[in-house]
Each structure stands twice: as structure tokens, then as C-alpha cells.
Amino acid sequence: MSRPYTQDSQASKSQHWFAWTGRDAQGQDQSGQMPALDRADIEAHLHAQRIRPIRIQRMRRPQALGKARAKEVAHFTRQLATLVQAGIPLLSALKLLDSATEHPGMRAIAQDVMTQVESGASLHQAMQTHACFGPVYLGMVAAAEASGQLDVILGELAQSLESELGLREALKSALTYPLAVLVLSGLVLGLMLAWVVPAFESIFSSMGAALPAPTQMVLSLSRWWVANGWTLAAAVTAVALLLRHWLRHHPQGQWAQAQMALAWPVWGELVQLACVSRWARTLSSLMQAGVSLPEALDISAKASGNLCYERCLVQVRSDVMTGTALAQALELGTPVTPAGWRAGWQRPLFSPQVLQMVAVGEASGRLDDMLMQVARMHEAQVQWLQKRISVLMEPTVMVVLGLLIGGLVTALYLPIFQLGQVL
């Protein structure tokens, strides 16, 4: 089975993208962009819509008309799936969403998608001009259009996006509290070293007595912080920005980030569960749409959200193409770095339980159902592990914060305690 969107993409190569502005029958200004063979097609389409063209300009590439977050995209997909499943034609459903969408960026995107579909483009062709619809999203929509199961796949896609939002919230909530407390504690320590400790130092100097070693260490740290604090803050900020750019844009940095995300003892387990859940749900939805296993593996490789899994699944697809069973290919697949070195951790990307469930699904001919069970099981484990991390993090962070602040305060009051004992 050929890729469901190859034929459409080849047909669109003879078309060009045009941006247009015009005025409708009510005198309102309208604008948009759409693919067409030439300007005459754009003019004919606008006249059919009772729009008088004012300007038509050819573009090198389509431009996104609005920006939308994952939450708005998931809401838009759920609404579109509900309307299509209710038997409303696609174009009518898009027109209803155009008037019902409240988010400005998402409304602009919905209007542009509606205009392109109205002009004859397929749904996935209309969506591919907007960055909010990723390659996995477009692949599933293309597969749905090719198989005639747009209502079913849109529902599965909406469920997948909503589950993805839940996984993101679980991952964020597992990090938000400890990071917020650590940042707050750092600010408190910095302020105490810059303002509170120098006030105590003037008091200590008037005593004329020898200070305890902990107090001397705190005073020395305060002097260094006052003299070099801004320089240190600037250096740390610069290093953080450079590191962020390297991790996001450099191939070796992206690979290192993917490895580090999986290497941490507890956090790595949480990331692994989320990656397997995303991949299994996407692969199940594609197979339910009638996409063959190799093509579904190709589309769902990016759904995991981790480069290690993506490269592993590319190798798995190659093994499946040669006749290897999926469970066996998942067991043998190991991600490698661009230089060919093996990954730096020993935990398998797919647990024995996942391999067993995949093998059972292949043997029974219900691989799509079993993959959906894998996704749901891992989503439940993510929620449980996130709550466990939160419960463990709260006392740990409070103890660390208490030791830092308490140690500093104790060091400052030691000379006063000693002076009281002498008197």
C-alpha cells in the first residue's frame, strides 16, 4: 500500500500558492491564500463566492495566518470530529467551526483551511501550511481521507491529542513544584547574602571577638556574592541560553537531550512511559484506518516525542519490511548515535510487558486493539508515577530548603549565642 498522501502531494506540485485580498457583496474586506494553477483559477473561485478580487499575489511558500497552542488544536479537532461524526459534510463543519472558534489564531487557521477546502484542496493539504498541525497529525488525516474513515480517525486523533495534553500536564506538574521551590529558595538566599548578612557583619565587627568558623564562611560567601553576584548571574544566563540553543538545534545536542531525558532514575521512567503511550496510540489509530504496518510505523515514529525512540522505530520499520515480526523488531531495535556509538543507558526502550502484548496482538490478529491497550495502560502508569513523584518531592525539597536557610540563619546567630553564654 502506497503512502496515502503521496499522490496528492505529487498532484500539488503543478500548483502555486497565491495570497489574495477582495471585497464581498456586503462590502466587507476579505483575504486568504490558496493553491491554484494560475491567477485565473483564483479569480474564478472568488467570483463564485461573490468576492471582487482586489489583489492576487503569488507566494514562494504558504504562510501561516495564525498561531495556536496544542490545547486549541485539540479543541478544534474534537469539535470537527463531533460534527463529521454527526453526518455533517466536511465543508459545512469547517464553516460552523469558523463562526464558533473563539481563539483568534485558531479562527484564522480555521478560516484558511475552510477556504482551501472550498477551493478544492484536500483537508490535509489545507492543513499542511500551518505549523500547529505536525507531521503525525497530517499523516493521520491523509490516511483517513484515503481510507474514507475521516470521522473515525478524527475521533481517534482528538482522543490522542487530549491524551497528549494529559501526559504533558503530568510531566509539567512533576517538575513545576520542585523547580519553583528551588528558584524561590535561590532568590531568598541571594537576597540574604546581599542584604541581611552585611548588616550582621557590621554588628559582629563592633563586638571585637573571634567569630566561629561557620559564621566566617558565610561572611566570606556574602562578600564574594556582593562583588561577583551580577557577573555570576550573567554568566549562568549566557551558558543556559547557549546550552538551550545547542540542545534544541544541534543534532548532537538533540541526541544528548533525548538520552538525558531517559537516563534519570525516576524521571527517565516517566518519560519512557509517555513516549511508549504516544507511539502505541498513534500506531493503533493508523492501523484502524487501514494503513499498513510499515507505513504506520513511518508516520508514528515522530509521535513518541523522543529522538531515541524515533531512530529506534526507523530501524524497526526496516526490520518489519524484511519480514521480521514487530515484537521481535522492537526487542532488537537499539538507538545509535550519528557516530555509531551505542546509547549510554541499559534500560530497554520497550519493556518485556509491551513486547509480550505486541506479540499476543500479532498472533491473534488484533494488533491495533492491543496497542490501544498498551497506550491506556501506560497513560495510567504515568498518572500514578506523577503523583508518586509529587508526594516524594514535597518533603525532599522542604528538607533541602530547611537545611539551606536554617544553616545560614544558624551561622549568623552563633556569635550572638556565644556572646550570651560569656555574659
Side-chain angles (χ1 to χ4, degrees), residues 325-367:
L326 178 59
Q328 183 180 359
L330 291 174
E331 184 177 6
L332 296 176
T334 303
V336 294
T337 62
W341 294 355
R342 292 293 174 180
W345 72 92
Q346 300 298 325
R347 185 192 302 122
L349 295 181
F350 297 94
S351 65
Q353 186 178 10
V354 173
L355 299 178
Q356 184 179 6
M357 295 179 69
V358 171
V360 171
E362 287 183 298
S364 61
R366 300 177 55 192
L367 181 58

Side-chain angles (χ1 to χ4, degrees), residues 17-21 32-34 42 55-59:
W17 281 91
F18 294 87
W20 60 268
T21 57
Q33 59 186 24
M34 65 180 66
I42 302 293
R55 181 182 181 185
I56 300 175
Q57 184 178 5
R58 180 176 170 180
M59 301 184 299

Side-chain angles (χ1 to χ4, degrees), residues 167-243:
L167 291 175
R168 288 185 180 181
E169 290 300 323
L171 295 176
K172 287 181 180 179
S173 61
L175 280 179
T176 300
Y177 177 77
L179 287 180
V181 173
L182 290 176
V183 171
L184 182 60
S185 62
L187 291 176
V188 171
L189 286 174
L191 292 176
M192 291 185 68
L193 290 174
W195 301 97
V196 178
V197 176
F200 274 85
E201 185 176 8
S202 61
I203 298 175
F204 297 153
S205 60
S206 63
M207 293 181 180
L211 299 177
T215 305
Q216 294 178 1
M217 292 177 57
V218 170
L219 293 177
S220 300
L221 180 61
S222 175
R223 298 189 196 100
W224 182 89
W225 177 254
V226 171
N228 305 288
W230 289 109
T231 303
L232 178 63
V236 170
T237 302
V239 171
L241 292 176
L242 291 175
L243 181 61

Side-chain angles (χ1 to χ4, degrees), residues 65-68 104-114 130 132-133:
L65 298 179
K67 294 182 179 181
M106 196 70 237
R107 174 177 291 181
I109 293 172
Q111 290 175 349
D112 183 63
V113 170
M114 179 193 67
H130 303 282
C132 61
F133 303 109

Side-chain angles (χ1 to χ4, degrees), residues 42-369:
I42 302 293
E43 293 177 353
H45 171 75
L46 294 179
H47 284 305
Q49 301 297 320
R50 302 183 64 185
I51 297 177
R52 181 172 62 87
I54 298 177
R55 181 182 181 185
I56 300 175
Q57 184 178 5
R58 180 176 170 180
M59 301 184 299
R60 292 185 178 180
R61 60 177 63 89
Q63 299 175 352
L65 298 179
K67 294 182 179 181
R69 297 178 298 178
K71 183 178 180 180
E72 282 79 26
V73 175
H75 186 59
F76 169 82
T77 307
R78 172 57 68 188
Q79 289 181 314
L80 182 61
T82 302
L83 293 174
V84 174
Q85 289 172 355
I88 300 176
L90 177 61
L91 185 57
S92 300
L94 290 173
K95 290 182 178 179
L96 289 175
L97 289 180
D98 178 22
S99 59
T101 303
E102 298 180 357
H103 187 268
M106 196 70 237
R107 174 177 291 181
I109 293 172
Q111 290 175 349
D112 183 63
V113 170
M114 179 193 67
T115 303
Q116 294 185 46
V117 171
E118 197 172 16
S119 66
S122 62
L123 181 59
H124 84 272
Q125 282 181 330
M127 289 179 167
Q128 68 185 2
T129 62
H130 303 282
C132 61
F133 303 109
V136 176
Y137 192 110
L138 296 175
M140 292 184 66
V141 172
E145 291 179 304
S147 62
Q149 301 185 44
L150 185 61
D151 54 344
V152 177
I153 298 305
L154 281 177
E156 292 291 338
L157 187 55
Q159 179 63 37
S160 177
L161 293 175
E162 290 165 355
S163 300
E164 172 67 17
L165 287 176
L167 291 175
R168 288 185 180 181
E169 290 300 323
L171 295 176
K172 287 181 180 179
S173 61
L175 280 179
T176 300
Y177 177 77
L179 287 180
V181 173
L182 290 176
V183 171
L184 182 60
S185 62
L187 291 176
V188 171
L189 286 174
L191 292 176
M192 291 185 68
L193 290 174
W195 301 97
V196 178
V197 176
F200 274 85
E201 185 176 8
S202 61
I203 298 175
F204 297 153
S205 60
S206 63
M207 293 181 180
L211 299 177
T215 305
Q216 294 178 1
M217 292 177 57
V218 170
L219 293 177
S220 300
L221 180 61
S222 175
R223 298 189 196 100
W224 182 89
W225 177 254
V226 171
N228 305 288
W230 289 109
T231 303
L232 178 63
V236 170
T237 302
V239 171
L241 292 176
L242 291 175
L243 181 61
R244 179 186 179 187
H245 183 272
W246 182 72
L247 291 175
R248 289 191 173 186
H249 302 287
H250 196 278
Q252 293 183 354
Q254 295 171 352
W255 177 250
Q257 183 181 21
Q259 284 186 305
M260 287 187 295
L262 295 170
W264 292 95
V266 180
W267 176 255
E269 183 181 356
L270 187 64
V271 172
Q272 183 176 8
L273 290 172
C275 291
V276 175
S277 174
R278 297 188 192 106
W279 167 78
R281 180 176 289 277
T282 304
L283 183 59
S284 175
S285 300
L286 290 170
M287 294 185 66
Q288 290 177 2
V291 181
S292 66
L293 180 58
E295 294 173 12
L297 286 171
D298 186 26
I299 298 174
S300 63
K302 296 182 180 296
S304 64
N306 186 279
L307 189 59
C308 296
Y309 276 91
E310 181 179 340
R311 293 183 179 177
C312 173
L313 292 170
V314 170
Q315 181 61 43
V316 167
R317 180 184 182 275
S318 301
D319 295 339
V320 170
M321 290 289 291
T322 60
T324 307
L326 178 59
Q328 183 180 359
L330 291 174
E331 184 177 6
L332 296 176
T334 303
V336 294
T337 62
W341 294 355
R342 292 293 174 180
W345 72 92
Q346 300 298 325
R347 185 192 302 122
L349 295 181
F350 297 94
S351 65
Q353 186 178 10
V354 173
L355 299 178
Q356 184 179 6
M357 295 179 69
V358 171
V360 171
E362 287 183 298
S364 61
R366 300 177 55 192
L367 181 58
D368 53 349
D369 293 336

